[in-house]
Amino acid sequence: MTALWLIFSGAFFAATLLPGGSEVLLVALIDQAPETWLALVIAATLGNTLGSLTSYYLGALGRVAKTPEELASGRYRHSVKLIERYGYWSLLLAWTPLIGDILCLLAGWMKMPLLKSSLMILIGKGLRYLLVAALALHWL
């Protein structure tokens, strides 16, 4: 139970604006107890998704902070273009370093549908953790 709480909280904080390496933690926990890999993947996915939804809500709260023109011309230009082009589908990339947190913030800021956004974030992050777990199980 401690391992599940550890991976959940580690994944949650890694998905917010705080840096973290939840994949390394997942591999270490799988190494300690390989039979718990599925429970660890589920806990990591849920924690990481909830962390991203925290960023989504922070984006929704900060809606008045910048205009769309300011965002489109600034350092968020690439992420804004992804969301404008692919909509909520771009949130499948919420797990990626550098742009993932920004995509979630922008999705909230742009008032994208919560249910669709949550589902895309969950799928993308779940697939990432499944891949990490599969590689860990194969190489350990």
Side-chain angles (χ1 to χ4, degrees):
M1 188 64 156
T2 303
L4 293 178
W5 176 248
L6 185 62
I7 191 64
F8 177 88
S9 58
F12 178 87
F13 288 117
T16 60
L17 298 177
L18 302 173
S22 58
E23 298 85 2
V24 174
L25 179 58
L26 179 63
V27 170
L29 292 171
I30 289 173
D31 185 37
Q32 288 179 354
E35 68 281 358
T36 64
W37 73 268
L38 183 58
L40 291 168
V41 166
I42 291 169
T45 301
L46 291 175
N48 212 241
T49 299
L50 289 173
S52 288
L53 290 175
T54 301
S55 296
Y56 175 96
Y57 281 113
L58 287 173
L61 290 173
R63 180 128 171 87
V64 296
K66 292 192 180 258
T67 66
E69 294 78 24
E70 289 174 316
L71 284 173
S73 65
R75 66 180 191 197
Y76 307 120
R77 177 179 56 246
H78 183 67
S79 299
V80 170
K81 287 184 182 196
L82 269 174
I83 286 186
E84 286 176 343
R85 184 168 184 180
Y86 299 107
Y88 61 85
W89 291 98
S90 63
L91 294 172
L92 287 169
L93 299 174
W95 61 270
T96 57
L98 304 177
I99 67 165
D101 293 337
I102 303 303
L103 286 173
C104 294
L105 276 166
L106 289 173
W109 191 87
M110 297 171 118
K111 302 288 186 194
M112 297 184 92
L114 177 62
L115 185 58
K116 290 178 181 178
S117 297
S118 301
L119 185 60
M120 293 299 115
I121 293 168
L122 179 76
I123 290 169
K125 290 177 180 276
L127 290 173
R128 183 250 332 247
Y129 283 120
L130 278 172
L131 179 63
V132 169
L135 290 172
L137 289 167
H138 178 73
W139 293 107
L140 295 177

